[in-house]
Amino acid sequence: MSSKLEQARALDAADALAHFRERFLIADPETIYLDGNSLGRLPLCAETSMADLLRRQWGERLIRSWNEGWFTLPERVGGKLAQLVGAQADEVIVADSTSINLFKLAVAGLRLQRGRRRILTDDLNFPSDVYILQGIVEMLDAGHRLEIVHSEDGVHGPVEALLATLDEDVALVVLSHTVFKSGYMYDMCAITEAVHAVGALVVWDLSHSVGSAPVALNAAGADLAVGCTYKYVNGGPGAPAFLYVRRDLQKRLQNPISGWMGQRAPFDFALDYAPEVGIRRFLTGTPPVLSLAMIEPGVDLLLEAGLEALRAKSVQQTSFLISLWEEKLAPLGYTLKSPRQPERRGSHISLGHPEGWRINQALIHDLGVLPDFRAPDNIRLGVAPLYTSFVDVYAAAERLQRAVEERIYMRHSSERATVT
Ligand SMILES: *Cc1c(COP(=O)(O)O)cnc(C)c1O
């Protein structure tokens, strides 16, 4: 038996979080799921919650359920999510999608920073975030300039270039805390401090961090943040996103999509908009109760496991994967496209290969591994410490090896599917 496999088994045996795997639906134990960073697994208790939500809350209680918990669901679930991102319960609320929340907070932030024209982001950011910022610049038509700072190697965040370009004309810096392709993780404290030193605001996108690593928004003095709940939070496909606004900023910021759910007294039906005082002012319309409620089971599991322990396991697993890459995969042409430094790395590893797309197809269709693919040649392997085992990580590397050694990838064409 390979010594790496023995090592994986020993690590699983010593893993105090291993039993959390049983709390998820594992329909096909032979399939290795390494895409929890795109769509988290189904927590078993979500099935019970959903049944109650449908039958009792909707079916039996009908409209009465709005006063029996639905109306306050956005801030109740937001308050729990706050514990995952190091914020106060009244600083986080669930609403809309990540893109829309970014729109709301970025516009609100720019209005607060009147007179400043520069908006900074980097070329590792998720394209939707960049599109939203481009749309805002056009919509406001107020002389803003979006500047995309380039990463030299496409793996590490361009920290020095970002810091060097900061000046008093910068209104907003918008960054993914953990970037979606390489998994690079910014030092939130250091960046926030530098941005504050020139009087600008930062918006952090926490989509690839939340649920896999502790985030310390308050400790970093962070201003604004948004994030996704269907990745490591296991909230289910298309689950609504969350937003964070530091308490002292809330009353100074105006939600640009001023709908009735952000109104102080929505059921007075007054015709003048008067925003709610707290975090609810960042709501717009009626919350999607069914999918919003399904975020809670995943959050509860994460809180039960503890983020420090989850992060320790995640670092162990990505480090183990890198050691497997070094031993088995680098000789076959795979390149490491994630940071080697554990503290600068989120919970996924990207491997490049000239035949990346076809290898990815072989993994999915022939080898029982579900990773994902990010153009041009990134095979992205996400470890979700709540349910990924070390043997999963080992087996994935072994199948990546076979895909090339046995030329299994050659069975597939290089044509791309719509959703990768
Ligand atoms: C997944 C992800 C999103 C998702 O945006 P939606 O509007 O919810 O589709 C946004 N930003 C980042 C960085 C992501 O990883």
Side-chain angles (χ1 to χ4, degrees):
M1 188 169 54
S2 131
S3 65
K4 285 284 192 201
L5 177 55
E6 276 168 36
Q7 198 186 337
R9 287 182 175 155
L11 286 164
D12 278 333
D15 173 16
L17 299 177
H19 63 98
F20 278 96
R21 185 180 173 92
E22 293 151 26
R23 312 277 289 275
F24 290 87
L25 185 74
I26 314 277
D28 172 10
E30 292 306 304
T31 301
I32 295 161
Y33 192 60
L34 294 180
D35 214 354
N37 55 330
S38 257
L39 176 67
R41 279 189 183 274
L42 169 67
L44 287 172
C45 55
E47 288 189 299
T48 344
S49 305
M50 190 54 142
D52 177 72
L53 185 54
L54 287 175
R55 276 255 140 200
R56 189 183 61 81
Q57 298 180 40
W58 178 12
E60 294 168 25
R61 299 303 297 160
L62 290 163
I63 193 85
R64 289 167 290 191
S65 282
W66 278 110
N67 282 323
E68 293 169 3
W70 288 355
F71 189 73
T72 51
L73 206 50
E75 63 256 43
R76 206 169 60 73
V77 177
K80 280 194 178 179
L81 279 161
Q83 296 177 54
L84 300 180
V85 295
Q88 305 302 304
D90 60 1
E91 294 176 316
V92 177
I93 197 155
V94 179
D96 306 304
S97 64
T98 308
S99 307
I100 291 176
N101 288 335
L102 176 62
F103 175 87
K104 292 188 290 193
L105 295 192
V107 171
L110 288 173
R111 282 186 170 156
L112 199 63
Q113 298 279 46
R114 230 176 271 282
R116 292 175 178 243
R117 290 166 306 182
R118 301 175 67 205
I119 305 169
L120 304 181
T121 187
D122 68 8
D123 61 353
L124 304 179
N125 205 350
F126 192 62
S128 188
D129 294 32
V130 180
Y131 304 156
I132 291 289
L133 296 172
Q134 289 166 345
I136 290 174
V137 168
E138 272 189 45
M139 184 194 73
L140 293 180
D141 196 17
H144 289 110
R145 198 166 68 236
L146 175 64
E147 296 169 42
I148 302 176
V149 181
H150 293 277
S151 158
E152 278 184 19
D153 61 359
V155 171
H156 296 81
V159 176
E160 277 175 29
L162 259 168
L163 299 185
T165 191
L166 287 173
D167 65 19
E168 308 274 321
D169 197 23
V170 175
L172 216 57
V173 177
V174 182
L175 294 170
S176 285
H177 179 230
T178 300
V179 308
F180 80 108
K181 238 188 238 183
S182 71
Y184 175 84
M185 186 188 272
Y186 274 102
D187 179 341
M188 181 181 282
C189 267
I191 301 280
T192 304
E193 195 185 332
V195 173
H196 284 175
V198 296
L201 297 171
V202 200
V203 188
W204 289 104
D205 188 329
L206 305 175
S207 293
H208 278 278
S209 300
V210 60
S212 73
V215 176
L217 288 170
N218 283 170
D223 309 297
L224 306 165
V226 295
C228 175
T229 64
Y230 49 78
K231 294 170 179 162
Y232 296 106
V233 180
N234 307 305
F242 65 90
L243 62 85
Y244 154 90
V245 180
R246 202 179 61 221
R247 196 183 281 153
D248 64 289
L249 281 175
Q250 289 174 8
K251 54 182 177 307
R252 298 167 59 204
L253 292 180
Q254 209 184 333
N255 180 353
I257 319 181
S258 44
W260 72 314
M261 285 294 144
Q263 158 81 9
R264 192 168 301 168
F267 291 92
D268 284 356
F269 299 106
L271 288 185
D272 288 317
Y273 179 77
E276 185 52 276
V277 267
I279 191 78
R280 272 190 79 94
R281 69 169 50 194
F282 298 99
L283 294 182
T284 297
T286 306
V289 172
L290 298 186
S291 48
L292 201 171
M294 287 309 107
I295 297 171
E296 201 167 8
V299 177
D300 286 342
L301 282 173
L302 289 166
L303 291 174
E304 190 185 329
L307 282 174
E308 297 292 339
L310 287 165
R311 171 65 175 167
K313 179 174 171 183
S314 155
V315 167
Q316 246 189 329
Q317 291 190 311
T318 51
S319 303
F320 184 52
L321 186 50
I322 290 177
S323 76
L324 288 161
W325 163 76
E326 233 159 12
E327 186 183 305
K328 298 171 184 294
L329 303 176
L332 296 173
Y334 288 98
T335 53
L336 180 65
K337 300 182 121 187
S338 292
R340 277 178 177 269
Q341 225 186 325
E343 60 276 22
R344 293 277 67 85
R345 193 166 74 217
S347 203
H348 69 266
I349 294 292
S350 272
L351 296 180
H353 194 284
E355 289 293 349
W357 170 254
R358 291 161 88 193
I359 293 171
N360 204 64
Q361 291 301 102
L363 290 173
I364 296 169
H365 299 290
D366 308 314
L367 291 163
V369 183
L370 296 178
D372 72 17
F373 183 79
R374 289 293 174 261
D377 66 342
N378 268 266
I379 300 168
R380 210 171 56 159
L381 307 164
V383 304
L386 263 185
Y387 51 76
T388 304
S389 70
F390 287 88
V391 167
D392 279 347
V393 173
Y394 171 84
E398 194 248 350
R399 294 178 202 189
L400 279 157
Q401 183 183 1
R402 287 182 50 209
V404 172
E405 259 177 13
E406 299 172 21
R407 297 174 181 269
I408 301 173
Y409 73 88
M410 293 185 82
R411 298 178 199 163
H412 298 275
S413 90
S414 15
E415 214 165 297
R416 302 276 166 88
T418 319
V419 177
T420 60

